[in-house]
Amino acid sequence: MKMKSYMWLVAVSAVLVFQRCSDDDGEKGNQSVVTGVLVANEGNFLAANGSVTYYNPEKDSVAQNIFRNAAGDFAGDVLQSITLDGERAYLVLNNSNTIEVANSTTFAREKTVAEPVLDKPRYVSVINGKAYISVFGPYDAEYNLTNSSIVVADAKTMNITGNIPTRPGVDDLFYAGGYLFASINNFGAGSAVSVIDPSKNEVIRDVAVMNGPSGMVLDANNKLWVICRGGYGAEDSYLESIGVKNFEQVQIHLDFQAGSDLAVSPDGKTLYFTGGNNIYSMPIDSKEAPAAPLFTAEEVVDLYSFGVNPENGDFYVGDARLFSASGGAYVYTSTGALKTSFTTGVGPTQFIFKK
Amino acid sequence: MRVGILIVVSMLTSVYCFAQQTAPVLLDSVEVYGITDERFLAGSSFTTVDSALLRQQRSTHLGEVLATQLPVYFRSYGQGMISGISLRGTAPQHTAVLWNGININSFSLGQADFSILPASAFGSVKVHAGGGSARYGSGALGGTVLLTSPEASSQEIFHIAQVVGSFGQYTTEAGGAFTLGRWNAHTQVYHVQSENDFTIQALGQRQPHAAFKQIGILQDIVYNLTNTKSLSLHYWYHDADREVQPPIGQYFSDATQRDKNHRLSLQYKSNGRRGQFTATGGYVRDVLFYRKEDLVTRWTGSVKHAFILPARIHAEVSAEWNHIRADIDEYKDHHAEEDRFDFMVSLQKSISTRLSLALNLRQPAVSGFSPPFLPYIGVEYIVVKRPAATFTLRGNASRNYRVPTLNDRYWQNAGDRSLQPELSYAAEAGWRWIWNQLTVENTWYTQEVDQWIQWVPVGGNYIPRNIRHVQVRGAEMRVHGPIYQGIVTVIAGVNYQYTRSISTEVPPNDPWSLDRQLIYTPVQTASGYLRGNWRGYNATVQAQYSGRRYYLFANEADYSLDPYTRIDLSAGRTLTLRRHTVTLQGSVQNLLDEEYRQYAAYAMPGRYYTLQLNYQLNSISK
């Protein structure tokens, strides 16, 4: 009897070992990212399956899950954004409360940054060797953000050197004209773009905008544009421009709820944004919103992210597919013709174009 | 005295059966009016968990015990964290958990959290697999877990047990019982705590922020008014305080959860010439503190009369009322207070010594909407009936339902009071072969769940909708019983289940989940145990296996959890010296040090150990 059950144990363990070996899908991550498109995939909330997809437009080749954290499966929980700076890639894991630093070519993991002050980090902007990290901070009992800030760290060592308190819900970051612009989104309830002077590490001005400022771009005239999409279920949105020196503002009303991503043409003269599955374009000197979309991304079910390749002006549209399946990316030419599509990780949230 | 004990036992188990020698006066007139659930649900599959086994596993929660006794899957958000049952391919909200007849599923979330049901807090645990709404009410689609308060064994006066385990685990339990005239009382208290800082195998780091602590008290009092009438009170308070285990790789978590559950049941039972009458009143107060306090209170009352109709048809007629009130901040747009009524009739007829028929009918009424009429029909036929062997064919068909949760209906900016209840049609057929106490069972089952509620994104917000249709098809095979009986006794059990739970209707913008297995629902599940006793020694090996589980509706292998096998080993010795019984029990859990998960990113511990010392004082036996 004893002998038999022991044999059974051995048999079971052998099966398990065998399964592990056969299930190992090998290292997908050893593809070098010299130029091309990176997709930050959020993953399912609390499933820690955020990942990075690499797409090479020249070879039309795709590599999934090119970065793996110390636990080995994926990048972590809710990969919010990726920032490239020289040889480094900063992966911001919103719900792991970490920043993974990787080599920007091999995507080999270099360092996991986890500090109590990095509570729900969002975006990273690197200015003069310093990493500026927007951080939501803790919730109170009513799920309100009360203590948001921009954490400053040495971009190389990631040792934290400072903390710049901001309005609640600081989100996207954009460096232009010597200032760091930070959209105060706060789940659509915020209504400011904060201007930070990196030489003083303090907020020098809060520029009032409409509710829900998100993505920002800089146009050919050195004007910063921000898309303000309102709160949940808002029925209209605004495009606002801010002069990066004089902070002069222009506001354009959109009669639909826009997506949170804003893009600009390679020449900096046309803005692109989304509303539902529609892609809109607007010349930067326009005084009013476009009357009709440029085209509709018919193939997309759940438009979740949008970007424009600065090399050739191709549109990249991310489809989150309700987080029920792996996401998809659809590439359209500047006229709106579908060029190609590829599979991404779960919840493609950001396109990063590496030159 | 012995009559008294018998009556207590019968009250607690709702099995009323006077043995001839204990009630000679009533011999001519007392009928067996109240019959067991097994007979009223003839054609169904029941599993009873041995109370000795529950006591042997004091340091674990009920889910961990059931996982080795049934083909069942539990999805736990980590060790000691929220754990939901998946019976017969359904979701955790599709199993009703009844304590002394009162449904104790969370009314706001819909499911019972098995991690706050300690294994030794119950006298008996019985699981009914398959559709049983007609007898057990809302939510009994995949099955029903029936819990009763602990009964002191007839000899036990007092016991105290201490468990120490890996990761700073300490469990202390003490209980006692006495009988004084017409009074019987039983008290039990317990305290469980664990640092729970096991090593996350994937990271080689200690699990942060997962400590938990539970305390509880159980009080049971039975007063026998006469030999045939009794009043009983059961009270259970459980307080669980835990750090919420974060997903692997999350740092600096601060979420904590506190549950405080008061459950009270007061029952009057009378066995007379015209039948058995039972009246029950209950009160349940569920406090859940997660950032802020959520309170759901419930008053329940029921009356039941069991009697025998002409042609020896066993009948039970009952009515139940529940008043529910939720004080939850997120419901502030609504006044979440409602009444639910249920009217039931159960009939059982043994047409011959071989053929048994059962019919259960229930009509619920819920304020706000009209729930369906719920029938259950079951049949059992003994094909072969010999002293050493019986072969039985059985089958049943039922209509079942689940009331949408309070969250589904009242959550601000999302809850929808016009949601329909989930509705299922279930049927099963099988056979059972018993040969010298060794039982072999095989069941084939099917279920269609319509109006399946899912929260779907609409305009940037998630709202509940009756949007999915799920088809469950499966089969299970079970073998259990003694395999050797002599100086050494060996008993064994093996369970295997194959279930396909497929979405056949899906949200229009979610075509990827069509014809796919439900998430976190293994197709294959197995479990088994082997137990041996020799004089005062005992040894047990038990195992559970779960096949691959997908966590995306599209069923992609990259986003799935690997199959796992978990084996636990336990050995102990019991010494009895006059009135004193001492048991020492040691166990190795997850013997193979298997790295496994039940939710995508939540670590479970590798190999760990527990040691239990139990002392029991017995009454002087004659």
Side-chain angles (χ1 to χ4, degrees):
Chain A
M1 191 67 231
K2 272 213 157 104
M3 188 59 195
K4 267 188 184 168
S5 50
Y6 175 71
M7 288 305 289
W8 183 59
L9 274 182
V10 170
V12 167
S13 359
V15 167
L16 291 170
V17 169
F18 175 73
Q19 266 178 354
R20 288 222 175 107
C21 298
S22 62
D23 281 358
D24 194 359
D25 47 13
E27 274 299 304
K28 290 173 179 173
N30 48 12
Q31 180 133 6
S32 19
V33 180
V34 181
T35 62
V37 185
L38 292 160
V39 188
N41 305 297
E42 275 181 21
N44 302 83
F45 181 59
L46 296 178
N49 61 336
S51 68
V52 184
T53 301
Y54 169 54
Y55 173 65
N56 185 333
E58 283 167 21
K59 296 181 188 161
D60 194 27
S61 66
V62 186
Q64 303 293 352
N65 206 7
I66 64 166
F67 172 83
R68 294 180 188 224
N69 66 13
D73 292 336
F74 297 104
D77 203 16
V78 187
L79 176 57
Q80 180 62 36
S81 65
I82 300 173
T83 297
L84 302 179
D85 183 66
E87 287 181 356
R88 287 199 181 79
Y90 300 87
L91 283 67
V92 184
L93 280 310
N94 178 248
N95 201 46
S96 294
N97 297 324
T98 55
I99 294 173
E100 297 280 2
V101 183
N103 181 292
S104 62
T105 304
T106 62
F107 269 77
R109 189 170 68 92
E110 289 185 353
K111 191 176 199 138
T112 302
V113 188
E115 297 285 344
V117 73
L118 294 179
D119 184 354
K120 296 182 273 294
R122 301 288 296 175
Y123 291 87
V124 169
S125 181
V126 181
I127 306 165
N128 302 328
K130 282 188 218 156
Y132 289 78
I133 308 155
S134 57
V135 171
F136 271 177
Y139 291 119
D140 68 8
E142 305 290 324
Y143 281 97
N144 294 313
L145 296 172
T146 53
N147 198 12
S148 300
S149 67
I150 293 174
V151 173
V152 188
D154 182 296
K156 198 170 177 185
T157 63
M158 288 305 275
N159 291 332
I160 289 164
T161 58
N163 193 23
I164 308 167
T166 65
R167 292 188 181 196
V170 62
D171 214 18
D172 222 334
L173 300 173
F174 198 93
Y175 180 61
Y179 294 121
L180 179 65
F181 291 84
S183 53
I184 308 294
N185 182 288
N186 198 18
F187 307 106
S191 55
V193 172
S194 295
V195 185
I196 291 115
D197 182 345
S199 64
K200 297 178 186 156
N201 277 356
E202 61 185 45
V203 176
I204 58 160
R205 184 188 282 258
D206 287 312
V207 180
V209 295
M210 297 306 283
N211 273 8
S214 313
M216 294 174 282
V217 293
L218 190 69
D219 73 10
N221 297 339
N222 260 348
K223 281 198 293 183
L224 180 89
W225 287 88
V226 58
I227 189 134
C228 303
R229 62 188 305 259
Y232 283 121
E235 287 176 356
D236 46 13
S237 304
Y238 293 86
L239 262 175
E240 305 219 22
S241 73
I242 303 168
V244 296
K245 295 284 177 220
N246 54 18
F247 308 113
E248 259 180 23
Q249 286 180 259
V250 172
Q251 186 183 78
I252 288 165
H253 174 252
L254 308 171
D255 62 356
F256 53 86
Q257 185 170 35
S260 57
D261 291 325
L262 184 61
V264 67
S265 59
D267 64 4
K269 289 182 176 167
T270 309
L271 298 174
Y272 299 108
F273 46 94
T274 63
N277 274 17
N278 295 326
I279 315 297
Y280 294 88
S281 70
M282 191 187 87
I284 57 171
D285 48 9
S286 174
K287 296 281 179 284
E288 58 189 33
L294 179 67
F295 72 99
T296 301
E298 302 282 359
E299 296 78 8
V300 176
V301 172
D302 179 18
L303 192 146
Y304 202 68
S305 53
F306 171 69
V308 173
N309 189 344
E311 292 296 304
N312 56 10
D314 281 351
F315 298 112
Y316 283 72
V317 178
D319 186 350
R321 295 174 181 163
L322 305 181
F323 292 77
S324 276
S326 285
Y330 295 85
V331 184
Y332 299 90
T333 64
S334 53
T335 57
L338 181 67
K339 202 167 169 179
T340 184
S341 67
F342 58 92
T343 300
T344 67
V346 176
T349 192
Q350 188 195 24
F351 293 100
I352 304 102
F353 301 93
K354 191 183 178 201
K355 276 181 232 175
Chain B
M1 176 71 185
R2 291 190 61 178
V3 175
I5 290 163
L6 249 182
I7 288 173
V8 175
V9 170
S10 67
M11 298 304 159
L12 293 172
T13 56
S14 53
V15 178
Y16 202 89
C17 183
F18 266 105
Q20 267 190 2
Q21 66 271 31
T22 57
V25 184
L26 300 167
L27 185 63
D28 300 329
S29 54
V30 169
E31 284 279 7
V32 181
Y33 293 115
I35 58 170
T36 60
D37 278 14
E38 282 89 335
R39 287 180 66 190
F40 271 129
L41 288 174
S44 272
S45 164
F46 279 87
T47 305
T48 302
V49 182
D50 185 28
S51 61
L53 182 70
L54 294 168
R55 285 200 293 274
Q56 207 181 78
Q57 302 193 28
R58 272 197 176 89
S59 58
T60 65
H61 66 71
L62 183 61
E64 293 175 283
V65 179
L66 293 183
T68 61
Q69 304 297 306
L70 285 159
V72 65
Y73 178 63
F74 281 87
R75 31 179 114 167
S76 303
Y77 284 89
Q79 175 80 339
M81 301 296 134
I82 293 177
S83 180
I85 190 171
S86 179
L87 257 177
R88 289 207 172 162
T90 60
Q93 65 269 27
H94 298 123
T95 292
V97 178
L98 269 55
W99 174 80
N100 293 315
I102 300 172
N103 185 318
I104 58 165
N105 285 29
S106 157
F107 274 43
S108 53
L109 298 167
Q111 56 173 284
D113 175 6
F114 279 73
S115 74
I116 54 175
L117 303 177
S120 64
F122 312 107
S124 82
V125 174
K126 203 149 61 172
V127 180
H128 171 250
S133 276
R135 189 153 178 89
Y136 302 123
S138 170
L141 276 74
T144 308
V145 178
L146 301 156
L147 310 172
T148 61
S149 295
E151 321 151 18
S153 74
S154 54
Q155 296 117 37
E156 182 189 317
I157 294 174
F158 173 77
H159 81 267
I160 183 160
Q162 177 67 47
V163 185
V164 292
S166 307
F167 331 126
Q169 197 212 92
Y170 297 93
T171 300
T172 312
E173 185 197 291
F178 73 89
T179 303
L180 195 68
R182 295 177 175 276
W183 294 86
N184 293 282
H186 168 260
T187 307
Q188 188 172 315
V189 291
Y190 55 83
H191 177 271
V192 182
Q193 72 174 63
S194 176
E195 286 303 313
N196 207 18
D197 56 345
F198 58 89
T199 300
I200 302 171
Q201 287 154 300
L203 274 178
Q205 292 173 7
R206 291 277 183 170
Q207 174 67 55
H209 197 74
F212 59 87
K213 195 166 80 180
Q214 302 183 354
I215 57 163
I217 180 163
L218 299 133
Q219 180 63 59
D220 308 286
I221 301 169
V222 180
Y223 176 66
N224 297 301
L225 299 153
T226 67
N227 274 0
T228 55
K229 292 184 173 62
S230 69
L231 267 175
S232 59
L233 176 144
H234 302 291
Y235 171 70
W236 176 23
Y237 173 63
H238 184 89
D239 185 325
D241 194 0
R242 58 188 149 193
E243 296 173 341
V244 177
Q245 181 178 327
I248 293 172
Q250 188 193 87
Y251 292 84
F252 309 112
S253 323
D254 62 354
T256 57
Q257 182 180 335
R258 182 95 187 257
D259 291 86
K260 292 192 233 180
N261 310 100
H262 292 269
R263 287 137 182 168
L264 176 74
S265 147
L266 189 63
Q267 190 170 74
Y268 169 75
K269 205 173 232 183
S270 155
N271 204 62
R273 285 168 188 276
R274 289 186 189 85
Q276 188 191 66
F277 174 78
T278 311
T280 308
Y283 173 68
V284 178
R285 181 184 166 90
D286 293 328
V287 178
L288 191 155
F289 194 94
Y290 183 83
R291 292 189 186 274
K292 50 192 166 183
E293 187 174 288
D294 289 350
L295 170 66
V296 180
T297 46
R298 189 146 37 102
W299 294 92
T300 174
S302 68
V303 286
K304 181 166 79 178
H305 190 61
F307 54 101
I308 298 177
L309 287 168
R312 296 206 61 80
I313 295 172
H314 282 275
E316 195 180 272
V317 179
S318 59
E320 188 181 320
W321 160 78
N322 277 279
H323 181 77
I324 301 145
R325 182 194 157 93
D327 294 293
I328 294 180
D329 214 34
E330 283 79 9
Y331 298 174
K332 55 193 159 206
D333 299 351
H334 303 286
H335 183 59
E337 193 162 5
E338 64 186 39
D339 289 289
R340 298 182 187 178
F341 299 92
D342 286 87
F343 304 96
M344 290 152 282
V345 177
S346 298
L347 301 168
Q348 188 272 336
K349 164 81 180 158
S350 298
I351 289 178
S352 66
T353 55
R354 289 172 182 264
L355 181 64
S356 171
L357 296 174
L359 179 70
N360 293 261
L361 307 169
R362 175 187 286 249
Q363 178 60 61
V366 180
S367 37
F369 61 84
S370 30
F373 173 66
L374 306 163
Y376 169 99
I377 185 161
V379 60
E380 271 188 44
Y381 181 70
I382 304 171
V383 182
V384 176
K385 193 173 184 180
R386 288 197 220 117
T390 56
F391 182 79
T392 309
L393 290 175
R394 58 178 191 81
N396 71 68
S398 61
R399 184 148 91 147
N400 308 283
Y401 90 126
R402 182 175 76 90
V403 178
T405 65
L406 297 177
N407 284 357
D408 291 339
R409 297 165 63 209
Y410 295 107
W411 199 267
Q412 63 175 339
N413 303 327
D416 183 357
R417 300 214 61 193
S418 65
L419 278 177
Q420 294 298 304
E422 292 180 345
L423 187 63
S424 97
Y425 293 89
E428 66 184 75
W431 54 264
R432 186 192 305 124
W433 184 63
I434 303 175
W435 179 71
N436 290 332
Q437 298 177 44
L438 187 73
T439 306
V440 183
E441 286 179 275
N442 174 218
T443 309
W444 299 79
Y445 51 87
T446 176
Q447 182 156 205
E448 299 281 335
V449 188
D450 199 20
Q451 311 285 355
W452 183 292
I453 295 167
Q454 188 188 336
W455 287 59
V456 292
V458 174
N461 204 359
Y462 274 80
I463 62 165
R465 288 262 175 91
N466 291 103
I467 208 153
R468 207 171 270 277
H469 183 104
V470 174
Q471 185 184 73
V472 180
R473 300 254 191 283
E476 64 185 35
M477 192 76 195
R478 311 185 63 191
V479 182
H480 51 96
I483 52 174
Y484 187 82
Q485 279 174 308
I487 306 169
V488 179
T489 58
V490 181
I491 60 164
V494 180
N495 306 296
Y496 171 78
Q497 187 181 81
Y498 180 94
T499 297
R500 299 283 287 147
S501 289
I502 301 294
S503 297
T504 52
E505 281 172 34
V506 298
N509 52 0
D510 184 13
W512 304 279
S513 63
L514 187 67
D515 296 328
R516 298 279 194 263
Q517 181 83 357
L518 289 179
I519 57 171
Y520 291 115
T521 309
V523 172
Q524 300 192 76
T525 315
S527 64
Y529 57 87
L530 187 70
R531 234 172 277 150
N533 282 289
W534 176 68
R535 295 186 177 163
Y537 294 91
N538 72 75
T540 305
V541 54
Q542 52 190 29
Q544 49 179 301
Y545 167 85
S546 171
R548 184 166 298 282
R549 291 132 297 147
Y550 298 101
Y551 59 89
L552 291 189
F553 278 109
N555 290 184
E556 295 174 29
D558 285 349
Y559 304 101
S560 68
L561 303 178
D562 289 339
Y564 71 86
T565 303
R566 181 182 151 156
I567 294 174
D568 304 328
L569 214 59
S570 154
R573 184 173 184 194
T574 302
L575 279 171
T576 301
L577 191 66
R578 290 190 215 110
R579 297 173 62 192
H580 312 279
T581 304
V582 176
T583 307
L584 185 68
Q585 192 84 26
S587 75
V588 187
Q589 311 281 328
N590 193 3
L591 180 72
L592 302 177
D593 204 26
E594 175 86 325
E595 185 189 348
Y596 70 103
R597 295 180 197 176
Q598 296 181 326
Y599 254 104
Y602 291 89
M604 298 297 277
R607 189 183 304 117
Y608 64 101
Y609 308 90
T610 64
L611 190 66
Q612 181 182 145
L613 182 65
N614 181 43
Y615 166 78
Q616 186 176 314
L617 177 67
N618 302 310
S619 60
I620 305 158
S621 52
K622 293 271 163 71

